[in-house]
Amino acid sequence: MLSIGIDLGGTNIAAGVVTSEGKVIAQAQRPTLAQRPWQQVVEDMAEVSLDALAMAGVGVEQVHAIGVGVPGNYDRKNGVVVFCTNLGWHNVPLREAMRRYIDVPLYADNDANVAAFAEAMAGVSRNVYSSLLLTLGTGVGSGIIVDGKIWSGSHGVAGEVGHMIYRAGGEQCTCGQRGCFERYASATALIRIAREATMRYPDSEMKSIPPERMNAKTVVDAARRGDEAAMEAFDEYTTHLSLGIVSCINVFDPGMIVLGGGVSRAGDFLLEPVRRKVEKQKFFKALPIGGVELATLGNDAGIIGAALLHRT
């Protein structure tokens, strides 16, 4: 049985043909051009899906369902994207619009939930009863999975870990609040912390990096080489990340915490200090906690998770 998964981003639309086991057999993409009317973007979502089907050598009649990961809030009952800031969408009738082009059942959810679902169905948290995914990118996305289902809460907005208030009166967040967790645990936060650290270490190699070229990887690479400013910044960053994870454990007690997104590409260099600090800071010292692991599906997570949404 085949499904189509669509990863709708602010920059690109990616679609793939996916088996029931979560294997991508063909995929295609094209630019989103998000400034366009939503009707044109939806038409391209359908076209890129058909492109992927053609590459797979299968017809629409072999497709069981279409799933979409959207960077916003989706009303499953009515099939409407309530809001999607990156695309400027408000109350877009996605399900009805897509079925004008490909008449199969459509499922959709927030893109972070979709990535978490992908890992739970075909990735590192497969066969784990409950899991929490944190995507460490420009912000901090998150998704909660319980017993093979996405936990969206009573009003469809559960899992916004990035916007839990981590520090009262702290750093200004793009959401309008201050002190949100993502202002301390995102890739953006790591860059800010590193820039502040270089002011205290005039001999740091990061001094020579133009601000517009500094990213999470440059900080991690400098820390690996023993640059004092980068090491200090990365230590502070992993402390913030670990404290946020401990708070999630205290509230949710997931069977596994999964780290994805750009910062997670640091691999064991990130994982080792986070695991150590989480273990040290956990509340119930004598009890086990869910393990902290790295996401394994990479850029395919959005397509795979979306394609398997029909299981929810």
Side-chain angles (χ1 to χ4, degrees):
M1 186 177 294
L2 300 175
S3 301
I4 295 172
I6 302 174
D7 184 2
L8 175 62
T11 303
N12 290 306
I13 303 166
V17 181
V18 181
T19 69
S20 57
E21 292 78 31
K23 181 182 178 182
V24 181
I25 60 174
Q27 61 179 287
Q29 69 175 33
R30 61 179 62 184
T32 307
L33 304 176
Q35 70 276 10
R36 298 180 296 166
W38 65 262
Q39 293 90 341
Q40 294 179 21
V41 176
V42 171
E43 182 176 3
D44 269 2
M45 290 167 63
E47 290 293 334
V48 78
S49 298
L50 294 173
D51 289 346
L53 285 172
M55 293 171 66
V58 298
V60 173
E61 68 280 358
Q62 294 173 263
V63 174
H64 172 72
I66 294 178
V68 185
V70 299
N73 180 267
Y74 182 73
D75 177 354
R76 287 190 172 195
K77 180 179 179 181
N78 296 303
V80 172
V81 177
V82 180
F83 65 87
C84 184
T85 303
N86 290 346
L87 300 178
W89 287 11
H90 297 276
N91 297 316
V92 170
L94 179 62
R95 184 169 61 203
E96 176 187 342
M98 276 293 291
R99 294 194 74 167
R100 295 172 186 166
Y101 300 100
I102 304 176
D103 190 17
V104 299
L106 182 137
Y107 303 80
D109 212 309
N110 173 266
D111 53 4
N113 287 339
V114 166
F117 188 63
E119 293 291 342
M121 294 295 102
V124 68
S125 51
R126 188 172 187 173
N127 300 322
V128 176
Y129 178 77
S130 61
S131 59
L132 169 68
L133 171 76
L134 299 176
T135 57
L136 312 174
T138 303
V140 173
S142 55
I144 299 170
I145 307 298
V146 179
D147 194 20
K149 305 291 183 183
I150 296 170
W151 172 247
S152 299
S154 298
H155 305 95
V157 295
E160 288 290 352
V161 171
H163 294 287
M164 66 180 181
I165 303 303
Y166 174 75
R167 179 169 291 176
E171 293 288 329
Q172 181 70 51
C173 184
T174 55
C175 74
Q177 297 284 357
R178 284 189 172 272
C180 290
F181 179 52
E182 72 171 39
R183 304 311 298 165
Y184 300 88
S186 61
T188 307
L190 176 57
I191 295 166
R192 173 181 56 80
I193 295 167
R195 286 174 178 161
E196 292 170 356
T198 58
M199 302 299 292
R200 298 187 292 274
Y201 293 89
D203 295 330
S204 169
E205 68 174 78
M206 292 192 296
K207 277 279 191 181
S208 63
I209 302 172
E212 67 275 8
R213 291 182 56 193
M214 185 180 289
N215 55 39
K217 184 178 186 301
T218 61
V219 179
V220 170
D221 289 346
R224 288 184 192 271
R225 290 191 291 268
D227 181 89
E228 287 186 286
M231 291 172 66
E232 181 181 294
F234 197 69
D235 180 63
E236 180 181 340
Y237 171 81
T238 55
T239 296
H240 289 309
L241 177 57
S242 301
L243 285 169
I245 289 172
V246 169
S247 295
C248 292
I249 291 170
N250 290 343
V251 173
F252 177 46
D253 186 23
M256 183 180 290
I257 301 95
V258 181
L259 304 181
V263 181
S264 72
R265 297 191 186 107
D268 289 341
F269 192 73
L270 172 72
L271 206 55
E272 192 279 328
V274 168
R275 283 174 171 169
R276 184 180 68 250
K277 291 176 181 182
V278 167
E279 185 64 30
K280 181 180 180 180
Q281 296 158 351
K282 71 179 185 180
F283 181 62
F284 295 102
K285 303 295 186 185
L287 295 177
I289 57 174
V292 182
E293 303 290 345
L294 298 174
T296 58
L297 297 178
N299 293 334
D300 287 342
I303 290 174
I304 294 170
L308 299 180
L309 281 175
H310 62 88
R311 295 186 183 181
T312 60

